[in-house]
Amino acid sequence: MTETSIISLLNQVNDRKGEIIDLAKTLIRFKTPSPPARNTDEAQTFVSTYLKELGFSIDKWDVYKGDPNVVGILSGSNSDEYNSLLINGHIDVASVEEGEQWDQDPFSPVVKDNILYGRGAADMKGGLAGSLFAIKLLKEAGINLPGDLTFQSVIGEEVGEAGTLECCKKGYNADFAVVVDTSNCQIQGQGGVITGWITIQSPQTFHDANRRSMIHAGGGLFGASAIEKMTKIIDGLKQLEQHWAVTKSYPGFPPGMTTINPAVIEGGRHAAFVADRCALWITVHFYPNENHDDIAKEIEEHILHVAKADPWLRENPPTFQWGGASMIEDRGEIFPSLAIDENHAGLQTLANVHDVVFREKVTIGMSPTVTDGGWLGEAGIPTVIYGPGKLEHAHAVNEQLSIDELIQFTKVMTKFIYDWCHTKK
């Protein structure tokens, strides 16, 4: 295609704005909040049908019953010589809690003052809709891409159920990947997140009448409240967090982004017992030059040193359980970090297209949150996050997305898919 033809194609995005909005609305109407999850089959059937009608071969399988992944593959005409592209997004959306003061039904999307409202508008059905419509435009224009194009609509991102990891396990790959999640159309990498449980367990259980013998001179009973001992662990975590804030940094992040959040504490039986067990659920953020296994080891080493300074904890040290495949199923999650290479040809191509469409230089940096992009990066796929929507609107009551941003994003994806898949390896 000539440059004039590409411009003409991008002009169609303006002319067909209503179709793009309708596609985003259709996706929002599918009620896919997670939790409770197990509710995405109907939405994923729609996506797979949409892709199939555009010539994609479809792989659809249940990650959990009622929650299938969809991977569409459009084979290029000369895939050995031209770059392949993977577009990734999640079909699940944040939960809607009883009593939230929405101006309308969260799953009955409306447009007011050029803003699309509905659960998932920003996070991230807008990104899915713009990407799908971009592919449709190219297909309708009779363009046969020489490079392979893979589209992944995955489940579970909101609760750490890594549908994207399951795609990686199946071997889906590409020369470059774009996760079209909420980034306000900035090109981003991300830090990582891992959750963990720290548990203190007493080998004996005591009636609360024995407490005096544990804490007063001459009592002679070597016992302790697991809840009270956990306060020492929490203090130790805070010391480590402060140490990280002083000693660690990474370009694109404000100081102190490596945090250790004591999120949930569970302990004790009831008031007639000395607490014989206490478990602390923590959430840990780390930088792109770190990995979750090393971070877990660093925390364990520090906390075990803290425990050695206490006579009872020295004999009854805390135990650790890290990560998990689901916040719903096993109360844990992992999001690997994602470093980005600003000199990578895929990132440069995307940045150049953004600059042309938006008529301003794209911002390249780091997301303050996490996406599935880390799983793709960990699988060896050069990956960036780039999608419409502001993070402040994600998960929010009256979640919203600027129509103008959605249209501009659709233009970027149309031209980027064409450019990258027409670039020789």
Side-chain angles (χ1 to χ4, degrees):
M1 291 184 75
T2 64
E3 189 64 29
T4 301
S5 299
I6 288 291
I7 292 172
S8 175
L9 197 61
L10 298 186
N11 287 335
Q12 282 193 46
V13 177
N14 292 328
D15 298 337
R16 300 174 69 176
K17 178 170 73 172
E19 294 178 56
I20 301 170
I21 296 171
D22 286 343
L23 178 56
K25 283 183 172 181
T26 297
L27 292 174
I28 291 169
R29 288 191 187 100
F30 291 111
K31 296 181 180 180
T32 59
S34 184
R38 316 300 175 251
N39 51 21
T40 62
D41 186 67
E42 187 180 0
Q44 292 290 61
T45 298
F46 173 85
V47 173
S48 62
T49 300
Y50 193 99
L51 291 170
K52 192 171 184 179
E53 290 175 352
L54 295 176
F56 284 73
S57 60
I58 303 298
D59 184 8
K60 181 172 179 276
W61 75 97
D62 275 353
V63 179
Y64 298 94
K65 186 174 176 57
D67 274 342
N69 272 350
V70 170
V71 177
I73 301 171
L74 188 65
S75 297
S77 59
N78 192 359
S79 56
D80 289 339
E81 294 188 26
Y82 286 84
N83 282 324
S84 57
L85 176 64
L86 190 159
I87 299 171
N88 171 282
H90 62 88
I91 196 69
D92 58 310
V93 298
S95 62
V96 176
E97 303 300 325
E98 187 175 350
E100 289 184 356
Q101 298 299 307
W102 287 74
D103 292 340
Q104 74 286 323
D105 178 358
F107 300 102
S108 297
V110 297
V111 174
K112 297 178 182 177
D113 301 322
N114 210 34
I115 302 291
L116 173 64
Y117 292 89
R119 174 57 90 218
D123 184 16
M124 55 162 289
K125 289 179 174 177
L128 287 172
S131 303
L132 288 169
F133 199 83
I135 297 168
K136 181 178 182 179
L137 277 175
L138 293 166
K139 190 68 175 178
E140 288 180 349
I143 296 169
N144 293 315
L145 300 172
D148 293 341
L149 177 60
T150 300
F151 192 97
Q152 296 178 348
S153 180
V154 302
I155 63 92
E157 192 266 0
E158 295 292 358
V159 289
E161 294 177 345
T164 296
L165 175 60
E166 298 305 312
C167 294
C168 295
K169 288 179 179 178
K170 280 200 165 195
Y172 289 110
N173 208 330
D175 295 309
F176 190 67
V178 180
V179 177
V180 290
D181 212 336
T182 318
S183 79
N184 198 24
C185 288
Q186 298 178 17
I187 296 175
Q188 295 178 333
Q190 67 181 40
V193 162
I194 186 169
T195 62
W197 284 92
I198 303 175
T199 302
I200 296 172
Q201 179 70 59
S202 171
Q204 296 173 284
T205 303
F206 295 101
H207 191 283
D208 78 301
N210 291 298
R211 179 172 171 81
R212 186 199 65 81
S213 299
M214 295 179 184
I215 65 173
H216 286 293
L221 182 59
F222 187 62
S225 163
I227 290 176
E228 289 177 324
K229 293 301 181 182
M230 187 60 80
T231 63
K232 295 195 173 187
I233 304 302
I234 293 172
D235 283 342
L237 292 171
K238 187 174 183 180
Q239 291 167 10
L240 181 60
E241 181 183 50
Q242 291 173 336
H243 174 70
W244 284 355
V246 172
T247 61
K248 293 184 178 185
S249 62
Y250 192 90
F253 286 101
M257 281 296 289
T258 47
T259 56
I260 306 173
N261 175 36
V264 175
I265 192 165
E266 299 174 350
R269 299 187 179 205
H270 59 71
F273 290 83
V274 175
D276 58 357
R277 183 180 185 276
C278 188
L280 179 69
W281 197 3
I282 63 173
T283 305
V284 186
H285 286 256
F286 53 93
Y287 286 134
N289 58 348
E290 302 174 301
N291 68 70
H292 47 88
D293 288 331
D294 290 342
I295 287 296
K297 290 176 184 176
E298 187 174 352
I299 292 174
E300 285 190 26
E301 181 180 344
H302 178 76
I303 292 303
L304 289 175
H305 280 303
V306 170
K308 286 179 181 178
D310 177 272
W312 188 87
L313 285 173
R314 190 183 311 136
E315 298 297 322
N316 303 280
T319 59
F320 304 86
Q321 180 180 340
W322 293 103
S326 167
M327 296 288 272
I328 295 174
E329 302 293 334
D330 54 17
R331 302 178 81 191
E333 67 180 11
I334 300 171
F335 283 92
S337 58
L338 175 65
I340 56 175
D341 177 6
E342 294 191 24
N343 295 315
H344 189 277
L347 188 152
Q348 288 295 315
T349 301
L350 179 59
N352 291 337
V353 173
H354 175 101
D355 295 352
V356 169
V357 171
F358 279 82
R359 297 183 181 179
E360 62 182 25
K361 193 170 182 60
V362 69
T363 299
I364 301 174
M366 285 289 155
S367 172
T369 186
V370 290
T371 73
D372 278 344
W375 290 116
L376 297 172
E378 195 167 82
I381 305 170
T383 302
V384 298
I385 306 161
Y386 180 85
K390 295 181 179 179
L391 198 57
E392 66 198 65
H393 296 145
H395 296 207
V397 172
N398 295 323
E399 184 174 345
Q400 60 188 265
L401 174 64
S402 161
I403 297 297
D404 289 342
E405 187 179 4
L406 174 61
I407 297 308
Q408 293 294 85
F409 168 78
T410 304
K411 291 180 183 179
V412 170
M413 291 305 294
T414 302
K415 182 168 169 50
F416 174 67
I417 294 167
Y418 179 89
D419 287 356
W420 181 247
C421 291
H422 278 83
T423 302
K424 286 195 172 183
K425 292 180 184 289

